Amino acid sequence: MAALLPVLLAHLLFICAHGATASAAATPPPLPILPVPSYAQLRWQLSEMALFLHFGPNTFTDSEWGTGHADPSVFAPPALDAGQWARVAARGGFGRVVLTAKHHDGFCLWPSALTNYSVSASPWLAGAGDVVAELAAAARAEGVGLGLYLSPWDRHEPVYGDTVAYNEHYMGQMTELLTRYGEVEEVWLDGAKGDAKKMNYMFDAWFALIHQLQQRVVIFSDAGPDTRWVGDEAGVAGYTCWSTFNKSSVTIGHTTEEYSRCGDPLGQDWVPAECDVSIRPGWFWHASEKPKNATTLLDIYYKSVGRNCLLILNVPPNSSGLISNEDIQVLQEFTEIRHTIFSHNFATNATVTANSVRGGQDNLQFAPSNVLENNIYSYWAPQEGQTSWEMLFDFGQSTSFNVLQLQEPIQLGQRVIEFHVDILIDELWQTIIEATTIGYKRLLKFPVTESRYLKMSIDSARADPLISFFGVFMDPFSDKYNLENHDKRTNSSEDIMLRTGNAAGSRSTATM
């Protein structure tokens, strides 16, 4: 009983510290801290994962970078089924699919009027096929969004190298894609160029056209304008990861890896990061390659979606035109693993208190209990002008866990800079994790620990911190946690500490 007295006292002080009765009038929400996401960017972030589909002549020639000279007759998938691709995406929890409508070889998976190098010249469906159309229809049927990759580099097109002529050609093909197939949620492009010909891409004109033709689209590139490349092809974001960014600090095709990976707390633009990685060693399907296993994908998920990013996982269709069974098996296991971990939140029935509440402790509008709802539009907000922010969780019984999930209501901006989490053991608060940035979603994995009481302390923030979700989970699948094997790049190390302080006299408890 003695061990519980400090915590019970903390509960009482929490409730009494700001016990003013809420007024009859509703308390307005706090002002956003700029920049904030657009409607399209919010939709993109909420989708969490996308399925990338690299498919084209390279699939049949066992190549990664086509020369642009492969005969169109090589494109002959005998069983192409875009419905299967869309079903795999939907069942795997992927919010959108992104197809390589044209890769560097210049071969178009739709019948473009601007080139003869397309499915029209192939034997597939006697030249009457349209992969983009089939996928667009299948995606709509499965309720997943459609994205398209149109490579700026074209190794087949004769006018490539003539800046005006090729930019007109590229924008003509972009217009075909964005006006024929209904809503397109993402346009994915890069700054790839060949060395043989000098070429200037008119990105600003491209971006203006894309946004003109598709009002709900987000554009991905090294520097946005809507989502940015994370800086690697391993699917790994920085341990510190801001959605805020300065687009003027980055040139497409020339990135600073650390800046792309971590973002910028002083950034004037909202440009969240997208993490691209392939399930196989290559981006196109090769018979000799095997997929990553499900626990490897789970680790990537923690380091991408769990670090405030979107994961775009490439799963290339094979030469039959289908996603391979071995890839589907891995994706099914990955889905089951995530469901097993995140379907049981040990904090669901917790009692949650905070050292302050916007509008007073009785104000349910911004109550700390809001963090138990998995919804970014309800959240805990503290009273304005505080210098410390703490939340206390009582699980009702001793609980074992090794994963925390935190979320901010990013529609009001990204705020938290640093925070730490403590558990109470033998009347001592022990810090189990110290971390930076939360954003849309933060997943933190650490050695299995056990406690009835948990305390989250926000150490610094860009504005009054707001928390929309806090979850506690058990992951029995990941390899035994080993700090030596953990990501040690700049701003990437997880500091697991056992910093202790007497529960009755520590700074945090005194504040409560």
Side-chain angles (χ1 to χ4, degrees), residues 335-476:
T335 302
E336 292 166 2
I337 284 174
R338 296 196 326 274
H339 177 75
T340 299
I341 296 170
F342 296 106
S343 63
H344 188 185
N345 179 9
F346 296 107
T348 297
N349 297 315
T351 300
V352 192
T353 48
N355 65 341
S356 76
V357 176
R358 184 178 178 85
Q361 287 286 351
D362 295 333
N363 187 4
L364 298 180
Q365 185 181 357
F366 301 109
S369 58
N370 288 342
V371 305
L372 303 181
E373 301 176 18
N374 200 350
N375 176 6
I376 66 170
Y377 294 102
S378 62
Y379 50 89
W380 163 70
Q383 196 68 272
E384 292 179 324
Q386 304 297 302
T387 56
S388 66
W389 307 279
E390 294 179 346
M391 304 184 75
L392 183 67
F393 296 80
D394 177 357
F395 302 134
Q397 61 184 12
S398 187
T399 301
S400 295
F401 54 92
N402 62 355
V403 174
L404 297 178
Q405 177 181 327
L406 298 89
Q407 294 184 251
E408 292 182 88
I410 57 171
Q411 68 275 14
L412 294 171
Q414 188 175 353
R415 297 165 177 252
V416 174
I417 298 173
E418 293 180 316
F419 64 96
H420 68 276
V421 176
D422 301 340
I423 58 172
L424 189 70
I425 299 179
D426 297 331
E427 300 189 37
L428 294 176
W429 285 114
Q430 298 189 2
T431 299
I432 58 170
I433 195 145
E434 292 184 328
T436 58
T437 59
I438 296 174
Y440 166 68
K441 180 174 285 189
R442 188 63 192 263
L443 297 173
L444 296 163
K445 185 161 60 75
F446 43 85
V448 174
T449 190
E450 182 177 351
S451 182
R452 172 176 171 175
Y453 300 98
L454 180 148
K455 181 176 61 179
M456 176 184 174
S457 302
I458 298 171
D459 302 306
S460 58
R462 298 173 63 230
D464 290 334
L466 309 173
I467 302 297
S468 60
F469 184 75
F470 190 97
V472 175
F473 305 94
M474 174 63 78
D475 172 3

Side-chain angles (χ1 to χ4, degrees), residues 15-349:
I15 294 170
C16 295
H18 296 273
T21 302
S23 62
T27 304
L31 285 172
I33 179 168
L34 300 178
V36 295
S38 67
Y39 173 76
Q41 288 172 320
L42 271 177
R43 282 181 46 172
W44 171 90
Q45 190 85 66
L46 290 168
S47 67
E48 293 199 355
M49 297 193 300
L51 200 68
F52 216 166
L53 300 163
H54 275 64
F55 188 61
N58 291 351
T59 307
F60 305 89
T61 60
D62 200 27
S63 305
E64 279 290 299
W65 287 30
T67 63
H69 301 296
D71 193 297
S73 64
V74 303
F75 187 84
L80 190 150
D81 183 359
Q84 185 228 28
W85 306 351
R87 288 191 297 273
V88 168
R91 293 170 184 174
F94 296 87
R96 57 188 59 189
V97 289
V98 179
L99 174 69
T100 55
K102 183 188 78 170
H103 203 254
H104 306 328
D105 60 1
F107 186 86
C108 298
L109 296 184
W110 80 101
S112 173
L114 297 170
T115 182
N116 294 323
Y117 200 53
S118 76
V119 288
S120 295
S122 79
W124 176 62
L125 298 183
D130 187 335
V131 181
V132 178
E134 293 200 14
L135 182 59
R140 281 193 297 272
E142 294 297 331
V144 297
L146 174 67
L148 298 171
Y149 169 73
L150 185 66
S151 171
W153 187 20
D154 191 321
R155 305 184 75 178
H156 177 84
E157 176 53 43
V159 300
Y160 186 86
D162 182 328
T163 292
V164 172
Y166 182 71
N167 276 275
E168 290 176 343
H169 174 86
Y170 185 89
M171 293 177 73
Q173 290 194 323
M174 184 68 75
T175 299
E176 290 179 339
L177 289 173
L178 300 186
T179 58
R180 292 182 182 179
Y181 303 106
E183 185 174 65
V184 175
E185 294 190 359
E186 183 164 0
V187 169
W188 214 93
L189 53 88
D190 51 34
K193 294 182 180 181
D195 295 329
K197 297 180 180 180
K198 185 177 180 180
M199 187 68 223
N200 294 319
Y201 300 143
M202 297 179 178
F203 287 112
D204 289 342
W206 298 1
F207 297 160
L209 175 72
I210 294 166
H211 279 141
Q212 184 183 84
L213 297 177
Q214 291 283 339
Q215 296 182 3
R216 295 183 174 182
V217 73
V218 295
I219 303 172
F220 166 93
S221 80
D222 294 346
D226 303 311
T227 75
R228 73 180 193 263
W229 184 41
V230 77
D232 61 49
E233 292 185 344
V236 177
Y239 187 72
T240 295
C241 191
W242 292 97
S243 293
T244 50
F245 196 71
N246 277 325
K247 290 184 285 189
S248 60
S249 299
V250 178
T251 301
I252 298 175
H254 301 86
T255 60
T256 302
E257 184 179 354
E258 182 179 345
Y259 190 71
S260 298
R261 191 171 62 241
C262 299
D264 187 344
L266 302 178
Q268 299 299 304
D269 305 299
W270 187 273
V271 190
E274 188 164 331
C275 300
D276 58 327
V277 64
S278 184
I279 195 171
R280 290 166 173 258
W283 290 89
F284 286 88
W285 177 83
H286 306 285
S288 61
E289 295 181 350
K290 300 298 180 183
K292 297 175 173 63
N293 61 39
T295 54
T296 298
L297 295 186
L298 178 64
D299 184 60
I300 293 171
Y301 180 81
Y302 280 124
K303 294 174 181 176
S304 54
V305 175
R307 292 182 179 176
N308 186 38
C309 300
L310 182 140
L311 170 61
I312 180 166
L313 177 66
N314 181 63
V315 182
N318 60 30
S319 56
S320 293
L322 298 169
I323 294 176
S324 298
N325 288 334
E326 55 189 347
D327 293 9
I328 292 175
Q329 179 64 36
V330 170
L331 290 176
Q332 288 175 341
E333 293 173 3
F334 177 44
T335 302
E336 292 166 2
I337 284 174
R338 296 196 326 274
H339 177 75
T340 299
I341 296 170
F342 296 106
S343 63
H344 188 185
N345 179 9
F346 296 107
T348 297
N349 297 315

